[in-house]
Amino acid sequence: MWIVPEREIAGLMTREAAFGAVEKVFSSMASGDAHNFPVIREAIGHEEALYGFKGGFDRAGAALGLKAGGYWPHNLEKRGLINHQSTVFLFDPDTGKASAMVGGNLLTALRTAAASSVSIKHLARSDAKVIGMVGAGHQATFQLRAALEQRNFDKVIGWNLHPEMLPNLEKVATQAGLPFEAVELDGLHEADVIITITSSFEASLMSHHVSDGTHIACMGTDTVGKQEVEPALIERASVFTDEVAQAISLGESQHAVCAGTKAESDINEIGAVINGTHRGRKSDDEVTLFDGTGVGLQDLAVAASVVDLAIAKGVAIEVDF
Ligand code: NAD
């Protein structure tokens, strides 16, 4: 069994490799070669932690396993540790033997950023120039950095409920050589692509903030009750997702589907667009929306790819198990 510690991940995994792994597994999900198992997420009644498992099996990529972990809200203040903690476990699909244990914290950030980037590649207009961000926390910087590689953007604009966090976005834009402008929500009209990545439980982005032809990647809503955009925007958009079952239960689409204003059958898998079985964007005026809920198979895909890299570079630890 191989162990790849969290400290090694930054030196191994690239945005490009994460993008490739996530695009491939979305494709496998849509062609029926990979499926996610039901998600378990529990408040454990200790340290106010939320703990759970996301697992699956990718027959095409021979990846079987799960990510275990969650959110410990007091880690930073009490122990100087990050609040999100996760570890990926991989198993040999032929025998069931554990094959790898991989630090999952940075991988989660990279696979989440890769998901919105995959959606931009396949759904945003090719002439997109302005990218708008809603959210400026830890994950927002990863989403922005990866998204900037998908189109020839010439400007970053951003809104955040807590404006003191906006310099996080400005730093990424500056590193990429792009101007950054803080805007009110109405200012997002200028954006050709918008990424929402907040922990909000009520909508910030309304349909009237969004111009025709925009692609939106909604990445923050991964739990029942969370919400970033107005259901009217879901109704207006052509909606794509990583997994329909998750989108309608705990993703951004949960609210419109629950209200009966968007049918489950109108939500399409991004993998179908990747595979060419769905045409994706139909016109330059269409609003497309990716409901990125985050699936276990994404974690397994990036973890499997990092194990190969770690073995090749001689930094994976082999243990008898
Ligand atoms: P963070 O705590 O670093 O940042 C939170 C962000 O949400 C900040 O920009 C904050 O200003 C904003 N925010 C907080 N309350 C708000 C409100 N009421 N209205 C509008 N904005 C509000 O968190 P993070 O690590 O950046 O994660 C952001 C979200 O992304 C979380 O909800 C997390 O669960 C989710 N997430 C999703 C995936 C996925 O695969 N879809 C993966 C990782 C994280």
Side-chain angles (χ1 to χ4, degrees), residues 54 71 84 108 111-112 135-140 159-162 165 197-202 204 219-223 226 292-295 298:
K54 280 185 168 185
Y71 188 69
H84 291 278
T108 299
R111 65 78 148 147
T112 305
H138 171 75
Q139 194 58 46
W159 175 86
N160 196 46
L161 184 68
H162 308 102
M165 296 170 83
I197 181 75
T198 70
S199 48
S200 179
F201 280 78
E202 57 187 297
S204 308
M219 303 303 298
T221 297
D222 55 0
T223 303
K226 280 188 184 171
T293 65
V295 292
Q298 279 171 263

